[in-house]
């Protein structure tokens, strides 16, 4: 954060552009315009849509960080029961952090929720509950839901004549999101109860934990943890000789000997 404060000079115009009294659709429209990602035109599936939104947020100036462990300590997992994500509203270096211990299909909603925090200039932590009473949390949930699954379109295609979970797969395909996001939207709009959605979410999270494999690719994890934007900025300074290897390694939490390979990975 301090490094980017030194490097960046112009405040990002979208941070704090609105507040929680602004109409939800106004904020959604501005986020769409800033990110410029249209899943319909690009024919994106859920994974590609998620990746495109993260990349677009980074290009806009947001540091999107993702990790499931605390400070690189593999013995200290970040529990979903503690938080799903958080946002740090800063006009020079805004941060969105997503807890990778959460089910992958839940993380897209968290991303959009935290971006909504930035647009209203509010730092915040998203907990695992679905009924957060704070006005700002309710507002950010509404923005995330409307961005991913517009209410008018959702109401037009929801089939109340079938078992509610049977709606999830076709609507997930229709809106380029996960079945979990559709379930969340159904709860927010009153089509299913909080208990029904909560049980479904726990089922999805349990399945994710049971099938979760090894630690994954070291360099990909390092980039996700630090954000692509910060990683590239630090590596550029290092490879140009303006920053020492040990300083770069300390900033990114990467062994100095592996920095060049990390740079090559990012360049692909």
């Amino acid at each position: 954060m301090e490094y980017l404060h030194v490097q960046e000079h112009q405040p990002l115009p979208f941070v704090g552009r609105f507040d929680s009294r602004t109409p939800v659709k106004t904020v959604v429209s501005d986020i769409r315009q800033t990110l410029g990602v249209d899943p319909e035109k690009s024919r994106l599936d859920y994974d590609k849509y998620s990746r495109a939104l993260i990349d677009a947020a980074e290009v806009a100036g947001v540091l999107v960080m993702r990790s499931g462990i605390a400070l690189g300590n593999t013995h200290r997992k970040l529990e979903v029961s503690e938080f799903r994500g958080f946002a740090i509203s800063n006009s020079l270096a805004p941060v969105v952090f997503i807890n990778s211990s959460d089910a992958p299909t839940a993380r897209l909603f968290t991303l959009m929720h935290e971006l909504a925090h930035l647009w209203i200039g509010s730092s915040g932590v998203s907990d695992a509950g679905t009924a957060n009473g704070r006005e700002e949390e309710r507002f950010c949930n509404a923005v995330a839901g409307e961005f991913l699954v517009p209410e008018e379109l959702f109401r037009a295609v929801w089939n109340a004549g079938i078992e509610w979970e049977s709606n999830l797969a076709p609507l997930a395909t229709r809106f380029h999101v996960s079945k979990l996001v559709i379930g969340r939207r159904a709860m927010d709009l009153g089509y299913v109860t909080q208990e029904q959605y909560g049980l479904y979410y726990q089922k999805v999270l349990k399945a994710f934990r049971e099938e979760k494999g090894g630690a994954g690719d070291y360099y990909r994890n390092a980039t996700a943890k630090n954000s692509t934007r910060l990683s590239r900025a630090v590596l550029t300074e290092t490879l140009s000789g303006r920053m020492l290897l040990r300083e770069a390694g300390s900033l990114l939490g990467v062994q100095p000997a592996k920095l060049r390979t990390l740079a090559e990975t990012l360049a692909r």
Side-chain angles (χ1 to χ4, degrees), residues 38-135:
D38 187 339
E40 296 287 347
K41 289 183 179 179
S42 304
R43 298 181 180 275
L44 301 177
D45 61 19
Y46 171 76
D47 290 332
K48 291 179 180 177
Y49 187 30
S50 299
R51 182 69 256 172
L53 287 172
I54 290 173
D55 289 346
E58 292 259 0
V59 169
V62 180
L63 302 177
V64 181
M65 301 177 175
R66 293 156 287 155
S67 181
I69 57 176
L71 299 175
N73 182 357
T74 56
H75 300 292
R76 172 65 172 91
K77 283 189 62 177
L78 297 175
E79 296 296 336
V80 180
S81 59
E82 296 174 355
F83 75 104
R84 286 177 173 166
F86 63 77
I88 300 175
S89 179
N90 182 291
S91 62
L92 294 178
V95 174
V96 162
F97 184 92
I98 300 170
N99 186 348
S100 296
S101 293
D102 201 359
T105 51
R107 297 174 201 165
L108 179 56
F109 189 92
T110 300
L111 170 68
M112 299 315 304
H113 175 101
E114 304 309 339
L115 288 177
H117 268 289
L118 301 183
W119 254 257
I120 62 172
S122 165
S123 298
V125 177
S126 300
D127 61 26
T130 56
N132 195 307
R134 287 181 52 209
E135 178 187 352

Side-chain angles (χ1 to χ4, degrees), residues 5-35:
H5 269 284
V6 173
Q7 297 297 315
E8 305 289 344
H9 304 289
Q10 297 299 320
L12 297 170
F14 59 82
V15 177
R17 178 174 282 164
F18 305 109
D19 59 38
S20 59
R21 296 183 298 275
T22 306
V24 167
K25 290 184 178 180
T26 299
V27 180
V28 168
S29 177
D30 197 77
I31 296 176
R32 286 193 196 284
Q33 184 175 359
T34 300
L35 299 185

